PDB file of all heavy atoms in Angstrom:
ATOM      1  N   ILE J   1    -141.740  42.670 157.808  1.00 97.00           N
ATOM      2  CA  ILE J   1    -141.987  43.284 159.126  1.00 97.00           C
ATOM      3  C   ILE J   1    -143.333  42.829 159.669  1.00 97.00           C
ATOM      4  O   ILE J   1    -143.476  42.460 160.837  1.00 97.00           O
ATOM      5  CB  ILE J   1    -141.967  44.818 159.030  1.00 97.00           C
ATOM      6  CG1 ILE J   1    -140.546  45.315 158.690  1.00 97.00           C
ATOM      7  CG2 ILE J   1    -142.460  45.475 160.321  1.00 97.00           C
ATOM      8  CD1 ILE J   1    -140.452  46.815 158.480  1.00 97.00           C
ATOM      9  N   SER J   2    -144.356  42.799 158.798  1.00 96.00           N
ATOM     10  CA  SER J   2    -145.711  42.527 159.261  1.00 96.00           C
ATOM     11  C   SER J   2    -145.877  41.128 159.792  1.00 96.00           C
ATOM     12  O   SER J   2    -146.769  40.890 160.634  1.00 96.00           O
ATOM     13  CB  SER J   2    -146.701  42.775 158.109  1.00 96.00           C
ATOM     14  OG  SER J   2    -146.552  41.797 157.104  1.00 96.00           O
ATOM     15  N   ILE J   3    -145.046  40.203 159.358  1.00 94.00           N
ATOM     16  CA  ILE J   3    -145.212  38.813 159.794  1.00 94.00           C
ATOM     17  C   ILE J   3    -144.937  38.660 161.290  1.00 94.00           C
ATOM     18  O   ILE J   3    -145.425  37.737 161.943  1.00 94.00           O
ATOM     19  CB  ILE J   3    -144.307  37.875 158.960  1.00 94.00           C
ATOM     20  CG1 ILE J   3    -144.774  36.420 159.053  1.00 94.00           C
ATOM     21  CG2 ILE J   3    -142.849  37.987 159.368  1.00 94.00           C
ATOM     22  CD1 ILE J   3    -144.078  35.481 158.075  1.00 94.00           C
ATOM     23  N   ARG J   4    -144.120  39.592 161.860  1.00 93.00           N
ATOM     24  CA  ARG J   4    -143.889  39.612 163.311  1.00 93.00           C
ATOM     25  C   ARG J   4    -143.883  41.058 163.785  1.00 93.00           C
ATOM     26  O   ARG J   4    -142.941  41.522 164.415  1.00 93.00           O
ATOM     27  CB  ARG J   4    -142.548  38.937 163.635  1.00 93.00           C
ATOM     28  CG  ARG J   4    -142.532  37.433 163.550  1.00 93.00           C
ATOM     29  CD  ARG J   4    -143.355  36.801 164.688  1.00 93.00           C
ATOM     30  NE  ARG J   4    -143.169  35.363 164.764  1.00 93.00           N
ATOM     31  CZ  ARG J   4    -143.884  34.500 164.046  1.00 93.00           C
ATOM     32  NH1 ARG J   4    -144.812  34.946 163.202  1.00 93.00           N
ATOM     33  NH2 ARG J   4    -143.661  33.218 164.168  1.00 93.00           N
ATOM     34  N   GLU J   5    -144.929  41.793 163.489  1.00 94.00           N
ATOM     35  CA  GLU J   5    -144.953  43.226 163.761  1.00 94.00           C
ATOM     36  C   GLU J   5    -144.780  43.535 165.233  1.00 94.00           C
ATOM     37  O   GLU J   5    -144.155  44.543 165.611  1.00 94.00           O
ATOM     38  CB  GLU J   5    -146.257  43.831 163.248  1.00 94.00           C
ATOM     39  CG  GLU J   5    -146.229  45.365 163.247  1.00 94.00           C
ATOM     40  CD  GLU J   5    -147.369  45.963 162.430  1.00 94.00           C
ATOM     41  OE1 GLU J   5    -148.118  45.194 161.790  1.00 94.00           O
ATOM     42  OE2 GLU J   5    -147.482  47.184 162.405  1.00 94.00           O
ATOM     43  N   ALA J   6    -145.302  42.692 166.109  1.00 95.00           N
ATOM     44  CA  ALA J   6    -145.155  42.948 167.556  1.00 95.00           C
ATOM     45  C   ALA J   6    -143.688  42.926 167.955  1.00 95.00           C
ATOM     46  O   ALA J   6    -143.254  43.711 168.810  1.00 95.00           O
ATOM     47  CB  ALA J   6    -145.963  41.909 168.332  1.00 95.00           C
ATOM     48  N   SER J   7    -142.915  42.062 167.350  1.00 95.00           N
ATOM     49  CA  SER J   7    -141.477  41.965 167.663  1.00 95.00           C
ATOM     50  C   SER J   7    -140.746  43.207 167.183  1.00 95.00           C
ATOM     51  O   SER J   7    -139.719  43.567 167.748  1.00 95.00           O
ATOM     52  CB  SER J   7    -140.872  40.721 167.022  1.00 95.00           C
ATOM     53  OG  SER J   7    -141.436  39.560 167.551  1.00 95.00           O
ATOM     54  N   TRP J   8    -141.242  43.828 166.108  1.00 96.00           N
ATOM     55  CA  TRP J   8    -140.609  45.013 165.569  1.00 96.00           C
ATOM     56  C   TRP J   8    -140.993  46.305 166.314  1.00 96.00           C
ATOM     57  O   TRP J   8    -140.451  47.385 166.004  1.00 96.00           O
ATOM     58  CB  TRP J   8    -140.995  45.175 164.097  1.00 96.00           C
ATOM     59  CG  TRP J   8    -140.237  44.263 163.181  1.00 96.00           C
ATOM     60  CD1 TRP J   8    -140.435  42.931 163.013  1.00 96.00           C
ATOM     61  CD2 TRP J   8    -139.177  44.655 162.261  1.00 96.00           C
ATOM     62  NE1 TRP J   8    -139.570  42.439 162.052  1.00 96.00           N
ATOM     63  CE2 TRP J   8    -138.822  43.469 161.574  1.00 96.00           C
ATOM     64  CE3 TRP J   8    -138.563  45.836 161.947  1.00 96.00           C
ATOM     65  CZ2 TRP J   8    -137.792  43.448 160.604  1.00 96.00           C
ATOM     66  CZ3 TRP J   8    -137.572  45.835 160.983  1.00 96.00           C
ATOM     67  CH2 TRP J   8    -137.185  44.668 160.332  1.00 96.00           C
ATOM     68  N   GLU J   9    -141.863  46.215 167.292  1.00 96.00           N
ATOM     69  CA  GLU J   9    -142.383  47.419 167.935  1.00 96.00           C
ATOM     70  C   GLU J   9    -141.291  48.295 168.575  1.00 96.00           C
ATOM     71  O   GLU J   9    -141.406  49.530 168.489  1.00 96.00           O
ATOM     72  CB  GLU J   9    -143.410  47.008 169.011  1.00 96.00           C
ATOM     73  CG  GLU J   9    -144.122  48.161 169.691  1.00 96.00           C
ATOM     74  CD  GLU J   9    -144.815  49.097 168.715  1.00 96.00           C
ATOM     75  OE1 GLU J   9    -145.310  48.598 167.660  1.00 96.00           O
ATOM     76  OE2 GLU J   9    -144.858  50.304 168.967  1.00 96.00           O
ATOM     77  N   PRO J  10    -140.231  47.732 169.195  1.00 95.00           N
ATOM     78  CA  PRO J  10    -139.208  48.618 169.740  1.00 95.00           C
ATOM     79  C   PRO J  10    -138.605  49.558 168.713  1.00 95.00           C
ATOM     80  O   PRO J  10    -138.306  50.719 169.014  1.00 95.00           O
ATOM     81  CB  PRO J  10    -138.158  47.667 170.292  1.00 95.00           C
ATOM     82  CG  PRO J  10    -138.963  46.420 170.636  1.00 95.00           C
ATOM     83  CD  PRO J  10    -140.001  46.344 169.569  1.00 95.00           C
ATOM     84  N   LEU J  11    -138.417  49.081 167.492  1.00 96.00           N
ATOM     85  CA  LEU J  11    -137.887  49.953 166.422  1.00 96.00           C
ATOM     86  C   LEU J  11    -138.953  50.871 165.922  1.00 96.00           C
ATOM     87  O   LEU J  11    -138.707  52.082 165.750  1.00 96.00           O
ATOM     88  CB  LEU J  11    -137.322  49.103 165.291  1.00 96.00           C
ATOM     89  CG  LEU J  11    -136.651  49.851 164.129  1.00 96.00           C
ATOM     90  CD1 LEU J  11    -135.521  49.024 163.545  1.00 96.00           C
ATOM     91  CD2 LEU J  11    -137.635  50.201 163.022  1.00 96.00           C
ATOM     92  N   LEU J  12    -140.145  50.390 165.696  1.00 95.00           N
ATOM     93  CA  LEU J  12    -141.224  51.211 165.119  1.00 95.00           C
ATOM     94  C   LEU J  12    -141.626  52.327 166.052  1.00 95.00           C
ATOM     95  O   LEU J  12    -142.122  53.378 165.586  1.00 95.00           O
ATOM     96  CB  LEU J  12    -142.421  50.331 164.783  1.00 95.00           C
ATOM     97  CG  LEU J  12    -142.167  49.210 163.760  1.00 95.00           C
ATOM     98  CD1 LEU J  12    -143.420  48.349 163.587  1.00 95.00           C
ATOM     99  CD2 LEU J  12    -141.738  49.796 162.403  1.00 95.00           C
ATOM    100  N   SER J  13    -141.443  52.161 167.354  1.00 95.00           N
ATOM    101  CA  SER J  13    -141.813  53.196 168.311  1.00 95.00           C
ATOM    102  C   SER J  13    -140.668  54.132 168.647  1.00 95.00           C
ATOM    103  O   SER J  13    -140.834  55.075 169.429  1.00 95.00           O
ATOM    104  CB  SER J  13    -142.361  52.567 169.598  1.00 95.00           C
ATOM    105  OG  SER J  13    -141.375  51.730 170.190  1.00 95.00           O
ATOM    106  N   ASP J  14    -139.483  53.874 168.100  1.00 94.00           N
ATOM    107  CA  ASP J  14    -138.321  54.725 168.284  1.00 94.00           C
ATOM    108  C   ASP J  14    -138.285  55.729 167.155  1.00 94.00           C
ATOM    109  O   ASP J  14    -138.087  55.372 166.002  1.00 94.00           O
ATOM    110  CB  ASP J  14    -137.061  53.861 168.293  1.00 94.00           C
ATOM    111  CG  ASP J  14    -135.795  54.652 168.597  1.00 94.00           C
ATOM    112  OD1 ASP J  14    -135.544  55.657 167.871  1.00 94.00           O
ATOM    113  OD2 ASP J  14    -135.053  54.291 169.488  1.00 94.00           O
ATOM    114  N   ASN J  15    -138.471  57.002 167.459  1.00 89.00           N
ATOM    115  CA  ASN J  15    -138.611  58.020 166.410  1.00 89.00           C
ATOM    116  C   ASN J  15    -137.409  58.055 165.461  1.00 89.00           C
ATOM    117  O   ASN J  15    -137.565  58.270 164.249  1.00 89.00           O
ATOM    118  CB  ASN J  15    -138.840  59.401 167.032  1.00 89.00           C
ATOM    119  CG  ASN J  15    -140.195  59.509 167.679  1.00 89.00           C
ATOM    120  OD1 ASN J  15    -141.126  58.833 167.317  1.00 89.00           O
ATOM    121  ND2 ASN J  15    -140.298  60.430 168.664  1.00 89.00           N
ATOM    122  N   VAL J  16    -136.223  57.898 166.033  1.00 91.00           N
ATOM    123  CA  VAL J  16    -135.008  57.957 165.196  1.00 91.00           C
ATOM    124  C   VAL J  16    -134.873  56.675 164.338  1.00 91.00           C
ATOM    125  O   VAL J  16    -134.711  56.757 163.117  1.00 91.00           O
ATOM    126  CB  VAL J  16    -133.769  58.171 166.055  1.00 91.00           C
ATOM    127  CG1 VAL J  16    -132.511  58.090 165.195  1.00 91.00           C
ATOM    128  CG2 VAL J  16    -133.832  59.505 166.776  1.00 91.00           C
ATOM    129  N   ALA J  17    -134.988  55.542 164.991  1.00 92.00           N
ATOM    130  CA  ALA J  17    -134.808  54.286 164.270  1.00 92.00           C
ATOM    131  C   ALA J  17    -135.910  54.063 163.260  1.00 92.00           C
ATOM    132  O   ALA J  17    -135.683  53.492 162.180  1.00 92.00           O
ATOM    133  CB  ALA J  17    -134.786  53.127 165.256  1.00 92.00           C
ATOM    134  N   ALA J  18    -137.139  54.515 163.564  1.00 94.00           N
ATOM    135  CA  ALA J  18    -138.265  54.308 162.637  1.00 94.00           C
ATOM    136  C   ALA J  18    -138.091  55.063 161.351  1.00 94.00           C
ATOM    137  O   ALA J  18    -138.761  54.732 160.329  1.00 94.00           O
ATOM    138  CB  ALA J  18    -139.559  54.716 163.314  1.00 94.00           C
ATOM    139  N   ASP J  19    -137.213  56.062 161.302  1.00 95.00           N
ATOM    140  CA  ASP J  19    -136.968  56.783 160.045  1.00 95.00           C
ATOM    141  C   ASP J  19    -136.491  55.841 158.959  1.00 95.00           C
ATOM    142  O   ASP J  19    -136.768  56.053 157.771  1.00 95.00           O
ATOM    143  CB  ASP J  19    -135.942  57.888 160.254  1.00 95.00           C
ATOM    144  CG  ASP J  19    -136.523  59.117 160.963  1.00 95.00           C
ATOM    145  OD1 ASP J  19    -137.769  59.220 161.022  1.00 95.00           O
ATOM    146  OD2 ASP J  19    -135.744  59.962 161.421  1.00 95.00           O
ATOM    147  N   SER J  20    -135.772  54.790 159.340  1.00 96.00           N
ATOM    148  CA  SER J  20    -135.245  53.848 158.360  1.00 96.00           C
ATOM    149  C   SER J  20    -136.373  53.052 157.727  1.00 96.00           C
ATOM    150  O   SER J  20    -136.392  52.851 156.488  1.00 96.00           O
ATOM    151  CB  SER J  20    -134.265  52.885 159.016  1.00 96.00           C
ATOM    152  OG  SER J  20    -133.145  53.570 159.519  1.00 96.00           O
ATOM    153  N   THR J  21    -137.343  52.618 158.522  1.00 96.00           N
ATOM    154  CA  THR J  21    -138.494  51.920 157.934  1.00 96.00           C
ATOM    155  C   THR J  21    -139.399  52.867 157.170  1.00 96.00           C
ATOM    156  O   THR J  21    -140.016  52.487 156.174  1.00 96.00           O
ATOM    157  CB  THR J  21    -139.299  51.198 159.006  1.00 96.00           C
ATOM    158  OG1 THR J  21    -139.737  52.135 159.999  1.00 96.00           O
ATOM    159  CG2 THR J  21    -138.464  50.115 159.689  1.00 96.00           C
ATOM    160  N   ASN J  22    -139.417  54.147 157.583  1.00 94.00           N
ATOM    161  CA  ASN J  22    -140.240  55.123 156.843  1.00 94.00           C
ATOM    162  C   ASN J  22    -139.723  55.362 155.440  1.00 94.00           C
ATOM    163  O   ASN J  22    -140.496  55.584 154.515  1.00 94.00           O
ATOM    164  CB  ASN J  22    -140.278  56.447 157.624  1.00 94.00           C
ATOM    165  CG  ASN J  22    -141.091  56.341 158.912  1.00 94.00           C
ATOM    166  OD1 ASN J  22    -141.929  55.471 159.055  1.00 94.00           O
ATOM    167  ND2 ASN J  22    -140.852  57.270 159.834  1.00 94.00           N
ATOM    168  N   VAL J  23    -138.385  55.305 155.310  1.00 95.00           N
ATOM    169  CA  VAL J  23    -137.810  55.438 153.954  1.00 95.00           C
ATOM    170  C   VAL J  23    -138.331  54.329 153.062  1.00 95.00           C
ATOM    171  O   VAL J  23    -138.770  54.566 151.903  1.00 95.00           O
ATOM    172  CB  VAL J  23    -136.267  55.407 154.025  1.00 95.00           C
ATOM    173  CG1 VAL J  23    -135.682  55.212 152.627  1.00 95.00           C
ATOM    174  CG2 VAL J  23    -135.725  56.698 154.638  1.00 95.00           C
ATOM    175  N   ILE J  24    -138.309  53.094 153.576  1.00 97.00           N
ATOM    176  CA  ILE J  24    -138.738  51.972 152.752  1.00 97.00           C
ATOM    177  C   ILE J  24    -140.229  52.050 152.513  1.00 97.00           C
ATOM    178  O   ILE J  24    -140.713  51.742 151.406  1.00 97.00           O
ATOM    179  CB  ILE J  24    -138.350  50.655 153.458  1.00 97.00           C
ATOM    180  CG1 ILE J  24    -136.809  50.582 153.600  1.00 97.00           C
ATOM    181  CG2 ILE J  24    -138.890  49.451 152.722  1.00 97.00           C
ATOM    182  CD1 ILE J  24    -136.341  49.436 154.462  1.00 97.00           C
ATOM    183  N   SER J  25    -140.992  52.471 153.495  1.00 95.00           N
ATOM    184  CA  SER J  25    -142.470  52.607 153.330  1.00 95.00           C
ATOM    185  C   SER J  25    -142.776  53.656 152.286  1.00 95.00           C
ATOM    186  O   SER J  25    -143.722  53.509 151.491  1.00 95.00           O
ATOM    187  CB  SER J  25    -143.094  52.991 154.656  1.00 95.00           C
ATOM    188  OG  SER J  25    -142.951  51.979 155.647  1.00 95.00           O
ATOM    189  N   THR J  26    -141.990  54.731 152.236  1.00 93.00           N
ATOM    190  CA  THR J  26    -142.225  55.790 151.254  1.00 93.00           C
ATOM    191  C   THR J  26    -141.927  55.262 149.849  1.00 93.00           C
ATOM    192  O   THR J  26    -142.732  55.521 148.909  1.00 93.00           O
ATOM    193  CB  THR J  26    -141.332  56.999 151.526  1.00 93.00           C
ATOM    194  OG1 THR J  26    -141.622  57.481 152.841  1.00 93.00           O
ATOM    195  CG2 THR J  26    -141.596  58.123 150.528  1.00 93.00           C
ATOM    196  N   VAL J  27    -140.844  54.534 149.668  1.00 95.00           N
ATOM    197  CA  VAL J  27    -140.543  53.962 148.360  1.00 95.00           C
ATOM    198  C   VAL J  27    -141.639  52.985 147.918  1.00 95.00           C
ATOM    199  O   VAL J  27    -141.962  52.892 146.735  1.00 95.00           O
ATOM    200  CB  VAL J  27    -139.160  53.252 148.391  1.00 95.00           C
ATOM    201  CG1 VAL J  27    -138.888  52.584 147.032  1.00 95.00           C
ATOM    202  CG2 VAL J  27    -138.058  54.239 148.700  1.00 95.00           C
ATOM    203  N   ALA J  28    -142.229  52.293 148.888  1.00 94.00           N
ATOM    204  CA  ALA J  28    -143.316  51.370 148.572  1.00 94.00           C
ATOM    205  C   ALA J  28    -144.594  52.058 148.207  1.00 94.00           C
ATOM    206  O   ALA J  28    -145.561  51.418 147.743  1.00 94.00           O
ATOM    207  CB  ALA J  28    -143.555  50.457 149.774  1.00 94.00           C
ATOM    208  N   GLY J  29    -144.650  53.386 148.383  1.00 89.00           N
ATOM    209  CA  GLY J  29    -145.859  54.136 148.021  1.00 89.00           C
ATOM    210  C   GLY J  29    -146.876  54.228 149.137  1.00 89.00           C
ATOM    211  O   GLY J  29    -148.001  54.680 148.913  1.00 89.00           O
TER     212      GLY J  29
END
């Protein structure tokens, strides 16, 4: 994600869709 974080912004700023990345971030610690 970080390699093109600006491109991921529509998902990261969507509260519902961002839950999916939050799951992965939580597993990553």
